[in-house]
């Protein structure tokens, strides 16, 4: 009997070791796929300890510095085995003057923001991008959010693009974002992304795009030209105007609002990648697996 129990324990331990090795190889393979993908500008895997700048792989190191506190490193993550823990009010930042190739803009320019997150599900969370909603009237450019409820994006992956950096006339805020049909599960690792090809924004959950039918957008009734409100599709979202060169810092985990830094992401971020083109559906599915 004892021999059988010992054998059972050995099998359990060995199975756990084997599974860990398979997961590690899978993460290494995914990292290599990211690094070899066409159009990659920067990829952070957040393996650095708290207090250190987070360094990117790509067209520069793009050193993200902690602001308003430290961001702990968790020994858990889908890529490097680590992740950055957000939620204390601290965030990461790279000044506009140092953004270099991250300053992606132009009338027909594409972009993809891809991230692996474990979101707590509590509130709007900014993941990463060039997005500033207040300074000089707004320096919005591109950014990936989780949950933008004001214009039909509650608990969904939202990809934002702006030409002017300012709010969308005649509304008080920028309405120009795609919102995934699927909701982002709380407290689970999930791959989220949005793409923009110069005409359409698309939001993805775990590499899957689901279209949304045209719908009445909340908080748009009664504005000039929209007495009954605005009807549009949120996924894909049609926006042929392009991205402006608006001078925002690159931030991770928060954006500048009128009241100060806000839209704090709560949870873990285990990977963030920026591309200067719109990745295709098959590419996103392969990277999200």
């Amino acid at each position: 009997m004892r021999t059988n129990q010992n054998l059972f324990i050995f099998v359990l331990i060995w199975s756990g070791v084997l599974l860990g090795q398979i997961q590690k190889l899978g993460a290494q393979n995914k990292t290599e796929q990211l690094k070899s993908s066409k159009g990659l500008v920067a990829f952070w895997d957040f393996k650095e300890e708290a207090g250190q700048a987070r360094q990117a792989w790509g067209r520069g190191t793009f050193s993200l510095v902690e602001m308003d506190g430290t961001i702990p490193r968790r020994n858990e993550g889908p890529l490097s085995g680590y992740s950055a823990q957000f939620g204390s009010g601290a965030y990461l930042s790279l000044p506009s003057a140092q953004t270099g190739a991250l300053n992606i803009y132009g009338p027909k320019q594409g972009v993809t923001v891809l991230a692996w997150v474990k979101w707590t599900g509590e509130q709007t969370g900014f993941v990463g991008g060039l997005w500033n909603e207040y300074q000089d009237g707004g320096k919005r450019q591109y950014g990936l959010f989780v949950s933008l409820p004001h214009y039909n994006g509650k608990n969904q992956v939202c990809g934002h693009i702006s030409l002017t950096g300012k709010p969308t006339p005649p509304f008080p805020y920028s309405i120009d974002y795609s919102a995934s049909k699927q909701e982002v599960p709380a407290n689970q690792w999930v791959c989220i992304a949005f793409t923009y090809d110069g005409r359409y924004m698309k939001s993805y959950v775990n590499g899957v795009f689901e279209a949304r039918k045209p719908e009445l957008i909340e908080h748009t009734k009664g504005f000039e030209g929209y007495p009954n409100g605005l009807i549009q599709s949120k996924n894909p979202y049609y926006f042929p105007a392009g991205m402006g060169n608006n001078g925002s810092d690159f931030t991770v985990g928060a954006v500048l609002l009128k009241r100060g830094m806000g839209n704090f992401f709560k949870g873990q971020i285990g990977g963030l990648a920026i591309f200067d083109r719109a990745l295709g559906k098959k590419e996103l599915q392969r990277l999200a697996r």
Side-chain angles (χ1 to χ4, degrees):
M1 180 64 118
R2 183 175 295 276
T3 300
N4 289 339
Q5 289 177 338
N6 290 340
L7 178 61
F8 180 68
I9 293 171
F10 173 78
V11 170
L12 284 178
I13 294 173
W14 175 249
S15 297
V17 172
L18 182 60
L19 178 60
Q21 290 298 319
I22 291 172
Q23 291 174 338
K24 184 176 180 180
L25 288 172
Q28 290 175 345
N29 183 49
K30 189 177 296 182
T31 297
E32 292 307 313
Q33 288 177 347
L34 273 167
K35 290 181 177 180
S36 62
S37 295
K38 179 183 176 183
L40 178 68
V41 176
F43 164 57
W44 297 267
D45 62 10
F46 301 102
K47 63 180 178 295
E48 295 87 356
E49 295 182 356
Q52 297 181 356
R54 273 58 172 191
Q55 306 286 345
W57 191 97
R59 300 181 197 172
T61 57
F62 301 113
S63 299
L64 298 173
V65 177
E66 294 172 340
M67 305 294 290
D68 294 344
T70 58
I71 298 172
R73 183 182 74 172
R74 293 284 301 273
N75 295 329
E76 176 192 4
L79 299 175
S80 65
Y82 300 101
S83 56
Q85 178 73 56
F86 292 84
S88 66
Y91 64 99
L92 298 170
S93 182
L94 178 71
S96 175
Q98 299 175 25
T99 54
L102 289 169
N103 184 23
I104 302 167
Y105 63 92
K108 296 181 180 180
Q109 177 63 53
V111 68
T112 296
V113 184
L114 175 68
W116 285 261
V117 303
K118 193 175 182 180
W119 177 57
T120 62
E122 296 177 24
Q123 62 180 39
T124 294
F126 181 70
V127 179
L130 294 165
W131 202 260
N132 177 329
E133 298 194 2
Y134 177 65
Q135 190 175 3
D136 298 330
K139 293 185 176 185
R140 302 167 176 89
Q141 198 158 324
Y142 67 86
L144 176 64
F145 289 78
V146 178
S147 191
L148 287 172
H150 200 72
Y151 298 122
N152 299 37
K154 184 177 181 180
N155 296 332
Q156 292 145 346
V157 178
C158 298
H160 240 316
I161 294 290
S162 178
L163 173 64
T164 65
K166 310 298 190 288
T168 306
F171 308 110
Y173 310 112
S174 176
I175 198 172
D176 301 313
Y177 58 85
S178 58
S180 62
K181 186 175 181 180
Q182 317 96 303
E183 292 193 354
V184 179
N187 301 311
Q188 297 179 29
W189 281 110
V190 60
C191 179
I192 63 172
F194 92 93
T195 65
Y196 178 58
D197 63 4
R199 297 183 65 210
Y200 288 96
M201 305 173 213
K202 295 181 179 180
S203 289
Y204 294 77
V205 177
N206 286 328
V208 177
F209 168 82
E210 291 188 14
R212 293 174 66 162
K213 295 179 180 180
E215 59 197 270
L216 176 65
I217 306 302
E218 295 179 354
H219 306 109
T220 61
K221 289 183 179 181
F223 286 89
E224 183 179 356
Y226 302 97
N228 299 315
L230 174 64
I231 295 176
Q232 60 184 193
S233 172
K234 294 301 287 185
N235 211 30
Y237 185 91
Y238 183 60
F239 189 74
M243 283 179 289
N245 179 13
N246 298 324
S248 173
D249 297 342
F250 186 95
T251 59
V252 176
V255 294
L256 182 61
L257 307 176
K258 185 175 182 179
R259 63 180 182 273
M261 295 304 295
N263 289 340
F264 292 103
F265 183 86
K266 290 189 176 182
Q268 296 162 247
I269 301 179
L272 175 63
I274 310 294
F275 296 82
D276 63 2
R277 67 183 182 92
L279 269 62
K281 178 176 66 175
K282 291 184 178 179
E283 291 177 294
L284 285 168
Q285 288 175 344
R286 175 172 55 87
L287 291 171
R289 281 200 298 265

